[in-house]
Amino acid sequence: MHDDVAVPFPGGTVRILTLAGIRKLDAWPRAFRDRCKDHRYYELIEETLANDFDYRYAVIEDSSGNIRAIQSIFFVRQNLVEGIRGFFRKIVDLVRKQFPRFLTMRVLMVGCAAGAGELDAHDPTDERFVAEALGATLRDYARQNRASLVVFKDFPAQYRANLGTLSENGYMRVPSMPMTRLNLSFQNFDEYLQRLGYVSRKSLRRKFRKTERAGKIDLEVVNDISPHIDQIYPLYLQVHERSPMKFETLTKEFFCRIAQMMPEYARFFVWRESGRIIAFSLCLLYGDTIYEECLGLDYAVALDLHLYFYTMRDVIRWSIEQKLRHYVSGPLNYDPKLHLGHELAPLDLYVLHTRGWLNPVFSVALKYLEPTRHDPILKKFPNADQL
């Protein structure tokens, strides 16, 4: 691995440093300062999710030596068929019993290992400069470190205008699995229900009545989950292992430390039945938006008690009471979100093969490998054309 590398480009230099190196820079505490996940979150991710990722940071300087941005990058071995299901995936899984790395590649990724990507541009006008700098330099750095692909991971659609410049260096944009978004323009949860379709409204009310007849469920909202980590972590793993697509696996240390490092943002919703924790949700608050990051459920009771819908109801209700205006949920599980009035919040991948002669061929393959192609529910959302 090549550390502390300096790669020149026409407008300046990109220096690749480790976390220890960027902590010495005055610019680091300002990195991602206008984002929900600021520099503290990237430190937390590196220090608690170290096993699967090899982290670096691209310090982008202009020709005068001024630091214009610090961008998180990392190496990972990526499953190229993560989003594919059906017969082809069964064949791949069978081959992997003998050849575990079949259809995997070492990838240099730009963005966040546990969340959507963001550009650290101190000024919005710097975003194109950052995109041009990374587009011009990361191919060579990736090849030096035996990575076959460079991927800008899960960047919100708001960056398309500026990240579009990556195409000049051979990158191709493909849709990633989107998040979803719900505008909380309601006085209370009942008003929200009234705006849903009749069938969805009736189904939800029936589910809530069944849950409440089964027993009393108490909700507590806390900043620090450490005292309960041994109870909530198995619930996180139950949901995580059932997911058809996985990238990162959060750790106990992550859940314990996020409230210590980002106390103004982190909130844990904890549901108990007869004193026993049966569900929890980690959310981040930023501005007028609540981001639901992950959910844990006890599947011994989750399906009978309709806990997915019950927990979502309580988070939305709490958010409305706190005068928040937007509720953002992570990727996957799109069918219930469609019926609950969510809209898609598109995310993009920008992908480049480091071997120039292979890139045109790989660009064609990407059309079949990209994950949204294999989820029919996405096409039913009213803003599916935005993908």
Side-chain angles (χ1 to χ4, degrees):
M1 179 63 63
H2 299 271
D3 298 332
D4 300 341
V5 174
V7 186
F9 67 98
T13 302
V14 173
R15 290 190 293 137
I16 309 297
L17 302 179
T18 62
L19 180 59
I22 62 164
R23 278 175 165 164
K24 300 175 183 178
L25 302 177
D26 293 337
W28 178 235
R30 300 192 299 272
F32 304 99
R33 61 185 174 186
D34 297 324
R35 307 289 189 267
C36 176
K37 295 173 179 175
D38 59 23
H39 76 285
R40 296 171 297 176
Y41 188 82
Y42 288 87
E43 292 191 19
L44 174 65
I45 290 299
E46 174 163 350
E47 292 172 348
T48 63
L49 277 71
N51 292 336
D52 297 326
F53 307 102
D54 193 354
Y55 303 88
R56 295 296 183 273
Y57 299 84
V59 181
I60 301 164
E61 300 176 346
D62 59 25
S63 55
S64 299
N66 299 315
I67 295 178
R68 302 280 287 274
I70 299 176
Q71 199 67 45
S72 171
I73 62 177
F74 57 94
F75 291 94
V76 64
R77 180 158 289 278
Q78 179 64 18
N79 177 11
L80 297 182
V81 295
E82 183 67 31
I84 295 178
R85 296 294 170 264
F87 180 74
F88 178 73
R89 180 59 183 268
K90 291 179 181 178
I91 295 296
V92 172
D93 291 341
L94 185 64
V95 173
R96 283 179 175 167
K97 291 181 179 180
Q98 294 297 323
F99 305 97
R101 291 191 172 187
F102 178 62
L103 285 182
T104 68
M105 284 186 177
R106 178 170 165 81
V107 180
L108 172 60
M109 289 196 170
V110 182
C112 183
E118 300 280 1
L119 289 180
D120 171 40
H122 298 159
D123 187 310
T125 59
D126 286 342
E127 290 181 0
R128 180 170 290 270
F129 179 82
V130 172
E132 291 172 350
L134 296 176
T137 57
L138 289 185
R139 182 206 296 260
D140 291 343
Y141 179 69
R143 288 188 62 176
Q144 291 169 10
N145 290 279
R146 301 183 302 281
S148 299
L149 299 179
V150 182
V151 177
F152 284 66
K153 172 185 171 287
D154 294 343
F155 277 77
Q158 70 195 51
Y159 290 114
R160 285 178 182 173
N162 289 317
L163 288 179
T165 189
L166 293 172
S167 64
E168 299 173 7
N169 288 287
Y171 286 81
M172 178 179 178
R173 181 181 73 84
V174 295
S176 185
M177 300 305 281
M179 298 188 294
T180 66
R181 184 182 184 95
L182 179 67
N183 291 328
L184 302 178
S185 55
F186 321 107
Q187 293 298 315
N188 50 54
F189 188 80
D190 287 338
E191 181 182 337
Y192 161 63
L193 283 183
Q194 289 300 320
R195 299 195 190 182
L196 298 179
Y198 171 77
V199 174
S200 296
R201 183 168 66 248
K202 183 177 179 180
S203 175
L204 281 176
R205 285 176 170 162
R206 184 173 62 249
K207 288 179 171 66
F208 297 151
R209 286 195 299 268
K210 179 181 178 181
T211 302
E212 289 162 355
R213 284 197 302 267
K216 187 175 186 296
I217 297 178
D218 298 309
L219 168 65
E220 181 183 18
V221 182
V222 299
N223 290 86
D224 184 9
I225 203 65
S226 299
H228 314 295
I229 188 62
D230 290 333
Q231 296 179 67
I232 67 103
Y233 193 66
L235 307 187
Y236 161 72
L237 291 179
Q238 286 188 48
V239 173
H240 181 70
E241 291 305 316
R242 290 169 70 101
S243 174
M245 298 180 66
K246 304 177 184 66
F247 187 72
E248 81 287 350
T249 301
L250 302 176
T251 63
K252 285 185 177 182
E253 185 183 5
F254 169 86
F255 288 114
C256 291
R257 290 184 56 191
I258 191 167
Q260 300 167 7
M261 296 185 69
M262 307 174 68
E264 72 274 36
Y265 296 160
R267 298 292 185 277
F268 287 91
F269 293 74
V270 181
W271 289 266
R272 293 182 175 87
E273 182 186 38
S274 302
R276 181 173 64 91
I277 296 178
I278 58 173
F280 85 97
S281 176
L282 166 61
C283 297
L284 296 178
L285 307 183
Y286 185 75
D288 62 359
T289 302
I290 182 168
Y291 299 86
E292 189 161 30
E293 296 295 316
C294 66
L295 179 68
L297 300 174
D298 181 354
Y299 276 98
V301 298
L303 300 180
D304 288 339
L305 296 180
H306 304 291
L307 285 183
Y308 177 82
F309 297 95
Y310 195 86
T311 57
M312 183 181 288
R313 181 201 69 173
D314 285 355
V315 172
I316 292 175
R317 177 183 286 170
W318 183 89
S319 301
I320 294 173
E321 291 173 352
Q322 301 301 312
K323 308 300 183 184
L324 298 175
R325 307 306 299 167
H326 306 284
Y327 166 76
V328 176
S329 181
L332 303 182
N333 209 20
Y334 294 111
D335 187 64
K337 295 174 184 178
L338 172 65
H339 297 292
L340 292 173
H342 292 224
E343 65 177 11
L344 298 178
L347 299 174
D348 296 324
L349 306 170
Y350 296 83
V351 185
L352 173 77
H353 200 288
T354 57
R355 300 289 179 180
W357 64 273
L358 271 176
N359 209 41
V361 177
F362 191 74
S363 295
V364 174
L366 274 177
K367 296 177 181 179
Y368 300 94
L369 294 174
E370 64 94 351
T372 65
R373 180 185 182 92
H374 307 283
D375 192 322
I377 301 299
L378 290 174
K379 299 179 178 63
K380 298 181 181 181
F381 279 82
N383 66 329
D385 61 311
Q386 296 177 11
L387 291 176

